[in-house]
């Protein structure tokens, strides 16, 4: 098959999918047999973000507790089906075969929102010196990177040896809250050899950036990406 034909075919498909997210009902999107699971999820989420589905979207936004995924999915499904019935968009569709697919897409969306909520909550939580869990995590970070070197005190110039900018490491957590510490500790635990090698490389004279502030900027970029997901 010629390449030019494939390019035009993909362009036409892209235009069709864009129109489908604006013109088709969410249940009609589930009925389209040629869509992959990922394409169906994306189209349904785009459809729910349009102004005509504002009332359905409000059902989710009004939820204070995002932990019960199944209850949220059931509530959104009921509201969405009633909304599309009032708009006379889905009378011809076989509901029994479509609703499970619709709920699968909605469930993936709700799970994503749960992840976003937990991550942003961690980023908004400052380091608390009175919280023993926070203090223990900070000590574990030191032990992960400097297992053979005891830490003289909680506030010490030694923190500079692993990349902190001051004697008190919590000043470097102001931008991303406790999320920074969670991510750094996960990295050191999950990749102990790599994290130690990274620390050694950043301590060389030709290194132009301190490791931890630079790493936190990467974490901030990842957080912005997660929050931008629909």
């Amino acid at each position: 098959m010629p390449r030019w034909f494939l390019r035009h075919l993909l362009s036409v498909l892209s235009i069709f999918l864009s129109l489908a997210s604006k013109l088709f009902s969410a249940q009609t999107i589930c009925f389209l047999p040629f869509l992959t699971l990922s394409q169906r999820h994306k189209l349904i989420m785009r459809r729910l973000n349009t102004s005509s589905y504002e009332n359905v979207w409000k059902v989710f936004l009004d939820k204070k507790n995002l932990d019960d995924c199944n209850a949220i999915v059931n509530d959104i499904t009921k509201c969405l089906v009633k909304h599309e019935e009032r708009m006379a968009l889905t009378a011809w569709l076989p509901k029994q075969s479509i609703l499970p697919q619709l709920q699968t897409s909605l469930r993936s969306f709700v799970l994503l929102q749960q992840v976003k909520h937990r991550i942003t909550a961690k980023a908004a939580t400052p380091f608390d010196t009175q919280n023993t869990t926070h203090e223990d995590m900070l000590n574990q970070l030191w032990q992960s990177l400097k297992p053979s070197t005891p830490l003289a005190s909680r506030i010490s110039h030694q923190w500079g040896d692993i990349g902190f900018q001051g004697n008190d490491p919590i000043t470097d957590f102001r931008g991303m809250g406790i999320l920074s510490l969670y991510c750094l500790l996960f990295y050191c635990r999950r990749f102990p050899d790599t994290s130690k090698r990274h620390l050694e490389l950043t301590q060389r004279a030709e290194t132009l950036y301190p490791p931890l502030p630079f790493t936190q900027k990467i974490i901030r970029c990842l957080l912005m990406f997660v929050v931008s997901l629909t």
Side-chain angles (χ1 to χ4, degrees):
M1 186 177 294
R3 290 185 179 179
W4 64 266
F5 180 78
L6 286 174
R7 285 198 299 268
H8 285 294
L9 183 62
L10 290 174
S11 298
V12 171
L13 180 60
S14 176
I15 294 172
F16 173 78
L17 293 178
S18 178
L19 290 173
S21 66
K22 298 177 181 178
L23 300 177
F24 293 169
S25 68
Q27 294 178 78
T28 304
I29 292 171
C30 290
F31 188 68
L32 299 177
F34 52 84
L35 294 178
T36 65
L37 186 63
S38 176
Q39 289 173 333
R40 188 168 71 237
H41 289 351
K42 290 178 181 177
L43 289 177
I44 290 176
M45 293 311 106
R46 288 180 191 172
R47 192 66 175 117
L48 292 182
N49 275 315
T50 58
S51 58
S52 59
Y53 281 74
E54 186 175 1
N55 291 335
V56 178
W57 189 242
K58 191 174 183 299
V59 171
F60 174 77
L61 295 179
D62 287 344
K63 295 292 182 182
K64 304 300 182 184
N65 183 6
L66 297 181
D67 292 336
D68 194 345
C69 178
N70 291 330
I72 296 174
V73 169
N74 289 335
D75 289 345
I76 296 177
T77 302
K78 291 176 183 177
C79 184
L80 187 147
V81 170
K82 289 181 180 178
H83 174 74
E84 293 187 341
E85 285 176 350
R86 286 196 299 270
M87 296 173 66
L89 295 173
T90 60
W92 58 279
L93 292 173
K95 292 289 194 300
Q96 295 303 316
S97 62
I98 287 177
L99 287 183
Q101 296 184 48
L102 177 62
Q103 289 193 317
T104 298
S105 294
L106 293 175
R107 185 170 288 106
S108 68
F109 167 74
V110 173
L111 290 173
L112 176 60
Q113 300 307 310
Q114 289 176 336
V115 172
K116 287 171 57 177
H117 176 74
R118 290 167 185 165
I119 290 176
T120 52
K122 286 283 189 295
T125 302
F127 187 99
D128 184 2
T129 56
Q130 304 301 316
N131 189 317
T132 56
T133 300
H134 293 183
E135 291 289 346
D136 288 343
M137 290 173 62
L138 192 58
N139 289 328
Q140 291 169 28
L141 179 63
W142 173 267
Q143 292 167 10
S144 297
L145 293 172
K146 294 284 188 177
S148 59
T149 304
L151 184 64
S153 63
R154 166 66 176 73
I155 297 179
S156 168
H157 69 277
Q158 286 179 287
W159 291 108
D161 296 341
I162 62 172
F164 286 100
Q165 299 180 90
N167 293 341
D168 190 349
I170 69 172
T171 57
D172 284 349
F173 295 138
R174 286 173 296 186
M176 293 296 297
I178 199 65
L179 177 65
S180 295
L181 183 54
Y182 271 97
C183 292
L184 291 170
L185 188 56
F186 171 82
Y187 174 58
C188 293
R189 285 174 170 173
R190 183 67 177 81
F191 307 101
D193 296 334
T194 303
S195 60
K196 290 185 180 70
R197 188 163 61 250
H198 176 213
L199 180 61
E200 291 173 2
L201 289 173
T202 56
Q203 290 175 334
R204 293 180 180 177
E206 63 270 20
T207 300
L208 298 178
Y209 59 87
L212 293 185
F214 180 78
T215 304
Q216 290 185 78
K217 286 181 173 60
I218 296 175
I219 296 171
R220 179 182 290 277
C221 291
L222 291 174
L223 176 64
M224 291 170 64
F225 170 73
V226 170
V227 171
S228 70
L229 296 176
T230 56

